[in-house]
Amino acid sequence: MSSLVVLSNEKGFNLARRTAYLLNAEFAVVEQKTFPDGELYLRIPLDVRGKIVVPVWSIKEEINNDLVSLMLVLDTLWDLGAKKVISVVPYMPYARQDSRFKDGEALSIVTIAKLLRAVHSDYVVTVDMHLHRIGDPRFVFGEKIINVSGVDAIADYIKNRHPQLGGKAIVVGPDEESEQWASRLGMLLGLKWVVLEKERYSAEEVEVKLRESMPREAEKAIIIDDIISTGGTIESTVNLIRKLGLNEIYVYCTHPVLSASGLYKIASLGLADYACTNTLPSPISTIDVSGVLASSIKNLA
C-alpha cells in the first residue's frame, strides 16, 4: 500500500509507527511547536498529494491542544491535495459529556463530531469509545465512524501471559456499560462473566454492588473496563471481589487515562497483573492494538 501515509503527533508515535509498519506505509511525525502566545505551529513533512493519509492522533493530558492540532492537520491535508483522510483517534475525548443534565451545558461530544466532519475527515476510527447514553457513535458522528475494540488484543495478551487461568477465573465488568467488554472477553477466553452495578458520588468516590450471584466455581477474577482514570471504580471493584473470597485479581482496560494518583492507586492494590492497551501512552500501556487499527484501515483504504 505504497500510496498510504501514516502521520502522528509525538504522543501517538509508538502506536502510529507500529500501525504504519503493518500497513507498509510511509510514516512521519508532524512537526509541531508552540509560539510564545500559545498558538500552535504545525507542518506535515511528507508529500501527501493524491495519497491516502492516516493521522494517528493520541489525545491525552493537553486534550484541547491535541484536538486543535488534529483539526489543523486534517484541514491542511485537504488543502495539500490528499486523496482520502482516515482519522484515527484511539481515545475519543469528551465522549462522557454526551448529555445535558443542567440547562445551558455543552454537549461536548456532539461539537467534536461536528468539527471532525467540518475539516474533511473521510472516516474516523476510534477504539472502545465510551458509550453510556448514546449507545452508538453513529448517532453523533454519522455512518463514517468506525468503533473498533481492544478486547481481542487484551484476550490474546491474557492467553499468552496467563494460560493457567483456564476455567478457574470469572470476568467482571464494574458497571452496566462494561457488559459489552466483559461478555466479549468472557467468550474469547471461554469464561463466565458477571456485571456489577455502580453508583458514582464524585470523580473518585464510587460504590459497586453485585446485581447477580458470583459463580461458586470462581477462584480468580479478571476485571475489564474501557477507561481507568482516577482508579476509584477499579479500587471499589477489587474490594468487593476480595470480600467475596477471590484474592487473585487481574485488571485490564483499553484506555489508560490515568491521573498520577490513579496509577499509584492501581499499583497499590496488590493485583496479580494489570495492563492497558497502547491507545494512550502510559507506564502500563503494554497491550498493542496496532493490528486492530491496521485491519480497519485496510478495509477503509
Side-chain angles (χ1 to χ4, degrees):
M1 303 180 73
S2 58
S3 64
L4 193 62
V5 173
V6 174
L7 302 173
S8 79
N9 56 352
E10 289 288 348
K11 296 174 188 176
F13 175 81
N14 288 326
L15 178 57
R17 183 180 60 176
R18 290 171 183 262
T19 304
Y21 174 79
L22 293 175
L23 293 170
N24 192 28
E26 292 182 84
F27 172 69
V29 176
V30 173
E31 296 177 18
Q32 180 175 331
K33 64 182 180 180
T34 304
F35 291 112
D37 63 357
E39 292 182 359
L40 299 177
Y41 165 90
L42 293 108
R43 176 180 173 270
I44 296 165
L46 296 177
D47 180 11
V48 298
R49 183 169 298 278
K51 296 181 179 180
I52 299 169
V53 186
V54 184
V56 178
W57 226 249
S58 187
I59 297 177
K60 185 178 183 182
E61 294 169 350
E62 297 177 326
I63 289 176
N64 299 319
N65 266 9
D66 291 339
L67 276 172
V68 170
S69 66
L70 174 60
M71 302 301 171
L72 292 172
V73 164
L74 293 176
D75 203 45
T76 302
L77 290 172
W78 175 266
D79 193 45
L80 294 177
K83 178 182 177 182
K84 181 187 289 186
V85 177
I86 303 169
S87 305
V88 178
V89 186
Y91 170 66
M92 184 62 69
Y94 288 103
R96 286 179 279 188
Q97 296 186 37
D98 61 357
S99 187
R100 184 171 288 133
F101 298 98
K102 297 178 182 178
D103 290 344
E105 288 182 338
L107 293 175
S108 303
I109 190 59
V110 175
T111 301
I112 298 303
K114 290 177 181 177
L115 289 171
L116 284 170
R117 288 197 299 269
V119 291
H120 313 294
S121 185
D122 293 284
Y123 291 95
V124 177
V125 178
T126 190
V127 184
D128 286 330
M129 181 175 157
H130 191 82
L131 301 172
H132 185 36
R133 288 161 288 268
I134 291 176
D136 187 333
R138 290 175 296 181
F139 294 153
V140 176
F141 286 84
E143 291 297 322
K144 293 190 175 181
I145 185 168
I146 312 298
N147 185 33
V148 302
S149 180
V151 173
D152 288 34
I154 292 172
D156 288 341
Y157 171 92
I158 294 171
K159 289 176 184 177
N160 292 330
R161 190 170 179 121
H162 304 291
Q164 78 283 0
L165 286 176
K168 297 180 180 180
I170 183 80
V171 177
V172 180
D175 55 26
E176 292 86 346
E177 188 193 358
S178 66
E179 184 163 7
Q180 58 189 300
W181 303 298
S183 60
R184 177 67 179 167
L185 186 61
M187 286 187 288
L188 290 170
L189 297 178
L191 300 174
K192 293 181 179 179
W193 64 90
V194 296
V195 178
L196 309 181
E197 293 180 349
K198 180 172 72 174
E199 187 169 354
R200 181 174 292 280
Y201 302 108
S202 68
E204 296 197 25
E205 185 183 1
V206 299
E207 181 182 4
V208 294
K209 303 174 183 177
L210 276 173
R211 70 177 190 182
E212 56 189 292
S213 60
M214 187 74 72
R216 296 187 177 213
E217 66 270 21
E219 299 177 9
K220 306 170 184 180
I222 301 170
I223 300 171
I224 178 76
D225 207 355
D226 62 333
I227 299 170
I228 298 178
S229 183
T230 65
T233 297
I234 297 299
E235 181 181 43
S236 296
T237 305
V238 168
N239 290 340
L240 175 62
I241 291 171
R242 286 190 171 139
K243 287 179 182 177
L244 297 172
L246 282 69
N247 292 311
E248 187 173 323
I249 302 173
Y250 302 74
V251 170
Y252 304 103
C253 86
T254 302
H255 305 298
V257 174
L258 285 177
S259 63
S261 61
L263 180 58
Y264 175 79
K265 189 176 292 183
I266 297 299
S268 302
L269 288 174
L271 301 169
D273 186 28
Y274 54 96
C276 300
T277 77
N278 57 348
T279 58
L280 294 171
S282 84
I284 58 173
S285 300
T286 54
I287 303 174
D288 184 23
V289 293
S290 62
V292 177
L293 293 178
S295 295
S296 182
I297 293 164
K298 284 179 182 177
N299 291 334
L300 298 174

